[in-house]
Amino acid sequence: MTAKYVINRLVFVVVVIWSATTINFFLPRISGQDPIRERIAKQMSGGSGAYQQGGAAEEIIKEYNRQFGLDKPLWLQYLNYLGNLVRFDFGKSIPNYPTQVSTIIGAGLPWTVGLLGVTTLLSVVIGSLFGALVAWKRSVAWLQFLAGPLMALSAIPYYLLGLILLFLFAYGLRWFPGNGGYSFTAVPNWSWTFAWDVVQHLVLPALSVILSAVGFWAVGMRGNMVTVEGEDFMTLAEAKGLKPTTLFFRYAFRNTLLPQVTSLALALGYVLSGSILVEVVFGLPGIGSTLFEAIKGVDYPVIQGIVFTIILSLTVSILILDLTLPILDPRIQYGEA
Amino acid sequence: MTTSRTADILAYLRRNPRLAVGLVILTGILLFSGIGSLTVNAKLARPLSAPPFKPPSLQYPFGTDKFGRNMLAAMIVGTPLTLQVGLIAGVLGVSIATVLAFASAYYGGWFDTVIRWVVDVGLTIPSIMLLIMIAIVVRDITITQMALVVASTAWLWPTRTMRSQVLSLKERGYVELARLSGMSGLEIILKELMPNLIPIIVANLVSTIASAILATIGLEALGLGPSEIPTLGRIIYWVIIYSGVLQGYWWWWVPPIVIIVLIFLGLFLASTGLDEIANPRLRRVA
């Protein structure tokens, strides 16, 4: 891994984040909307007495514009905006006024990171093992029959599978709770009873992500496995009379894992965006539900803050994968091309 | 000629059951909304045209929703609208991608560098995030605007795949020959490269339409689509915010989910079936 490669990746990350934030800044401004004027007009028509005197509205709009820095020239607003983002200052929520957007995001983040971390790990492991076994010529026949339905499941968005699971297991069988991250009566604290309560609430959302993601990982793995099985070293290992399990794990499986890491970098964005609505379906108090509520309440600062957080965490994860891949696979010569 | 062409297509479909099943499913959905719009009054898809929350019966085959929509009529009105957004966005996206891919790969230079960077950057940002940013600034979005919003990210992936195809094609001998015989760049693109790229363009079109529909339904389910029309995603949005699942109104969400799943299954099967055309190395010996 050369310094040139690392610098190249770092510059790329900066460009990605800068482009996203710039689009985020300029889109609402070129759309010609005036959220403050609209809001004041809405409140006036709502009949709040204080706004009723003519002329007062203009004063209020001017004052708000001054407070939000909207009276300054555009380039200065843009610089301020970038400066605030670097310090994770997304401003304050509009409907829940004095609350900082970063506080709202901070409250949801552990749920999303927890759900996505566990489900991604599980689906990569289960999917890879499954895909490898399907391709493995010595494995049992019924595995092949499972392959079709699992691939079909991967064509269905997570949240639709979530709705079906919610109906079957929360409404029908009542095996799992169907709404929220923990019971209404539970008090969040560090105890085993509360942890168990949370786990029960997370089973269905996790299952809906895993069920539809496993197919994706299995398909990729099956292809890798077929390639590796044709390699000369496999024939040699087989000729040496090694045990089938040793052949499978030590010789074949190990060598098929690297392309899966590359796919992980490509799939993360899809996993992230797919899980937004899963959280909403199951009422989990994560980032996805927060984003959903913010869109419903036209809460621009929260929407922009969440979009920025998601893009930032995604690009940083991809950067980490990009930088660890050459360490995992010494054959790859980066930065030369 | 025509009979042998038809026979060819039939033989291909027989060898390729996935494509056949995919096409049958997609045709079925089109027939459902086509025949439906002729036989069922579209006005019944409006709120208050029936009593709310009626389970399926002879009078309301798919039941009615919270607002008193006849769900059968709502499906017949909503399905083609969702498909329409995906179709417009997919066709637009692939058209833009084709032009950019040729220009970028054939002419190279600074234009190629710019396109490559824009595509790389654009593909790193999850498209749903870009779409949310765009969709929240458009108020009272119409079906056409929705299609334009979705198209704004739909061109990225096909541009990348087609650009690399053109790059490899333009090094072939026959292109070299055409260049030596004095054909202009545009002529080479249209007469020599384009015919060879058509299978790939078609395969890209199917997968782009599939992801455009996926994005459309996602945006609608987040509440960012047209607000009063019962598009498939909008119904999912209503089911979510009025917790229709936990209240047991299964006929409210089963029809849209079945149709969405069938659309994806049909497109998924068709696109894996088309892979064989796009990538002749996969072609089995008949």
Side-chain angles (χ1 to χ4, degrees), chain A residues 12 19-20 24 27-28 33 38 155 157 159-160 163 166-167 171 273 276 280 292 295-296 300 310-311 314-315, chain B residues 117 120-121 124-126 128-129 133-134 136-137 139 214 217-218 221 224 237 240-241 245-246 248 253 260 264:
Chain A
F12 181 71
S19 327
N24 218 344
L27 262 182
Q33 287 177 14
E38 278 172 31
Y159 53 93
L160 295 183
L163 283 177
L166 185 67
F167 179 72
Y171 174 77
S273 26
I276 293 173
V280 177
F292 187 77
I295 291 173
K296 234 165 61 180
Y300 285 111
I310 290 182
I311 292 173
L314 184 79
T315 31
Chain B
W117 267 86
D120 281 352
V121 169
T124 310
I125 304 171
I128 194 80
M129 291 298 133
M133 288 197 266
I134 302 170
I136 50 170
V137 297
R139 293 283 168 78
L214 182 73
I217 295 176
L224 287 168
Y237 172 78
I240 291 174
I241 61 172
V245 174
L246 289 177
W253 51 270
I260 293 172
F264 284 129

Side-chain angles (χ1 to χ4, degrees), chain A:
Chain A
M1 185 161 50
T2 58
K4 196 180 159 198
Y5 172 70
V6 177
I7 291 169
N8 191 348
R9 297 321 298 167
L10 283 174
V11 170
F12 181 71
V13 166
V14 172
V15 172
V16 168
I17 294 168
W18 171 77
S19 327
T21 48
T22 305
I23 296 172
N24 218 344
F25 175 84
F26 283 104
L27 262 182
R29 282 165 177 83
I30 55 176
S31 76
Q33 287 177 14
D34 191 341
I36 289 172
R37 186 174 296 273
E38 278 172 31
R39 206 164 178 82
I40 302 285
K42 206 168 153 190
Q43 277 176 349
M44 281 180 70
S45 64
S48 312
Y51 297 119
Q52 294 295 19
Q53 293 102 17
E58 283 306 314
E59 284 297 308
I60 295 168
I61 290 169
K62 225 184 228 167
E63 177 59 21
Y64 269 111
N65 277 335
R66 201 184 58 75
Q67 271 192 21
F68 282 95
L70 295 175
D71 53 344
K72 300 202 175 71
L74 200 60
W75 62 269
L76 199 63
Q77 287 184 39
Y78 180 57
L79 287 183
N80 279 339
Y81 169 81
L82 289 183
N84 287 341
L85 281 188
V86 172
R87 287 179 281 112
F88 292 103
D89 178 3
F90 308 116
K92 297 183 171 79
S93 160
I94 296 173
N96 311 307
Y97 176 62
T99 322
Q100 287 284 338
V101 171
S102 45
T103 318
I104 297 179
I105 294 176
L109 216 47
W111 291 95
T112 307
V113 172
L115 178 71
L116 284 185
V118 173
T119 50
T120 309
L121 198 70
L122 280 177
S123 44
V124 172
V125 172
I126 299 174
S128 301
L129 266 177
F130 179 75
L133 283 173
V134 167
W136 194 243
K137 31 185 193 270
R138 295 170 191 80
S139 56
V140 283
W142 55 266
L143 269 176
Q144 310 282 341
F145 287 105
L146 265 178
L150 270 181
M151 270 171 71
L153 274 185
S154 70
I156 303 170
Y158 302 161
Y159 53 93
L160 295 183
L161 206 59
L163 283 177
I164 298 169
L165 291 179
L166 185 67
F167 179 72
L168 291 179
F169 296 107
Y171 174 77
L173 295 168
R174 295 190 185 278
W175 285 358
F176 296 101
N179 197 10
Y182 45 86
S183 310
F184 281 119
T185 48
V187 185
N189 56 18
W190 292 106
S191 70
W192 287 112
T193 37
F194 182 70
W196 179 238
D197 191 45
V198 170
V199 167
Q200 281 182 314
H201 280 82
L202 286 178
V203 169
L204 288 182
L207 202 61
S208 49
V209 176
I210 292 173
L211 269 183
S212 49
V214 157
F216 172 82
W217 296 107
V219 172
M221 194 61 176
R222 193 175 58 172
N224 305 341
M225 200 67 178
V226 170
T227 319
V228 169
E229 274 188 325
E231 297 272 351
D232 287 344
F233 69 84
M234 286 302 295
T235 322
L236 179 68
E238 222 178 318
K240 282 199 293 190
L242 293 177
K243 272 190 299 180
T245 45
T246 319
L247 267 181
F248 180 74
F249 284 108
R250 300 283 304 276
Y251 284 77
F253 196 61
R254 271 180 67 165
N255 281 298
T256 52
L257 282 175
L258 269 173
Q260 295 290 85
V261 180
T262 321
S263 324
L264 185 62
L266 289 173
L268 269 182
Y270 180 75
V271 175
L272 249 173
S273 26
S275 66
I276 293 173
L277 278 159
V278 170
E279 285 182 12
V280 177
V281 164
F282 291 100
L284 285 185
I287 290 266
S289 300
T290 317
L291 179 63
F292 187 77
E293 289 304 317
I295 291 173
K296 234 165 61 180
V298 206
D299 195 347
Y300 285 111
V302 172
I303 299 172
Q304 297 205 333
I306 291 180
V307 167
F308 177 78
T309 311
I310 290 182
I311 292 173
L312 181 74
S313 40
L314 184 79
T315 31
V316 171
S317 323
I318 291 176
L319 176 71
I320 294 172
L321 283 175
D322 274 349
L323 294 183
T324 43
L325 207 55
I327 301 173
L328 289 177
D329 188 357
R331 283 172 303 181
I332 304 176
Q333 296 284 315
Y334 283 107
E336 306 300 324

Side-chain angles (χ1 to χ4, degrees), chain B:
Chain B
M1 179 68 199
T2 22
T3 44
S4 75
R5 173 67 56 89
T6 328
D8 274 357
I9 294 175
L10 280 179
Y12 185 80
L13 285 178
R14 201 170 300 131
R15 269 195 302 127
N16 202 329
R18 287 187 165 191
L19 182 60
V21 174
L23 288 180
V24 167
I25 294 178
L26 292 176
T27 318
I29 294 168
L30 290 181
L31 282 178
F32 164 74
S33 52
I35 296 176
S37 64
L38 295 177
T39 50
V40 176
N41 188 348
K43 280 187 183 146
L44 295 176
R46 292 189 190 155
L48 301 177
S49 63
F53 289 139
K54 287 277 172 217
S57 61
L58 273 181
Q59 195 187 355
Y60 308 110
F62 285 14
T64 67
D65 72 357
K66 180 189 168 74
F67 312 101
R69 288 189 165 88
N70 180 329
M71 282 304 289
L72 176 65
M75 285 295 103
I76 288 165
V77 171
T79 309
L81 289 176
T82 301
L83 288 176
Q84 196 187 333
V85 174
L87 211 64
I88 299 176
V91 170
L92 261 180
V94 172
S95 316
I96 297 170
T98 312
V99 174
L100 288 182
F102 275 115
S104 165
Y106 190 81
Y107 294 106
W110 63 268
F111 185 72
D112 186 40
T113 316
V114 171
I115 293 296
R116 227 175 51 224
W117 267 86
V118 171
V119 167
D120 281 352
V121 169
L123 284 176
T124 310
I125 304 171
S127 60
I128 194 80
M129 291 298 133
L130 279 176
L131 295 177
I132 288 174
M133 288 197 266
I134 302 170
I136 50 170
V137 297
V138 190
R139 293 283 168 78
D140 303 321
I141 197 164
T142 62
I143 290 288
T144 324
Q145 283 169 330
M146 187 80 182
L148 292 179
V149 169
V150 176
S152 68
T153 61
W155 57 276
L156 291 166
W157 186 254
T159 303
R160 175 185 275 181
T161 52
M162 290 200 287
R163 177 184 164 277
S164 59
Q165 289 289 343
V166 177
L167 270 185
S168 81
L169 274 185
K170 78 167 191 176
E171 300 304 328
R172 303 273 168 91
Y174 64 88
V175 179
E176 194 66 23
L177 186 70
R179 202 175 293 135
L180 287 175
S181 55
M183 270 186 163
S184 72
L186 196 64
E187 254 181 314
I188 293 177
I189 288 179
L190 291 178
K191 286 187 183 156
E192 304 290 336
L193 294 174
M194 199 62 152
N196 287 296
L197 215 71
I198 282 179
I200 288 150
I201 296 178
V202 171
N204 262 301
L205 187 62
V206 174
S207 57
T208 309
I209 290 175
S211 45
I213 293 179
L214 182 73
T216 310
I217 295 176
L219 280 181
E220 287 166 356
L222 279 169
L224 287 168
S227 54
E228 292 308 318
I229 311 170
T231 53
L232 297 176
R234 190 75 192 180
I235 295 176
I236 302 288
Y237 172 78
W238 286 324
V239 168
I240 291 174
I241 61 172
Y242 297 112
S243 49
V245 174
L246 289 177
Q247 294 186 34
Y249 303 122
W250 55 269
W251 59 89
W252 196 4
W253 51 270
V254 168
I257 287 191
V258 168
I259 291 188
I260 293 172
V261 168
L262 283 179
I263 293 175
F264 284 129
L265 212 58
L267 287 170
F268 174 75
L269 290 173
S271 78
T272 44
L274 281 173
D275 267 354
E276 210 180 304
I277 307 182
N279 192 354
R281 277 186 213 158
L282 292 174
R283 210 169 281 173
R284 278 161 290 168
V285 185

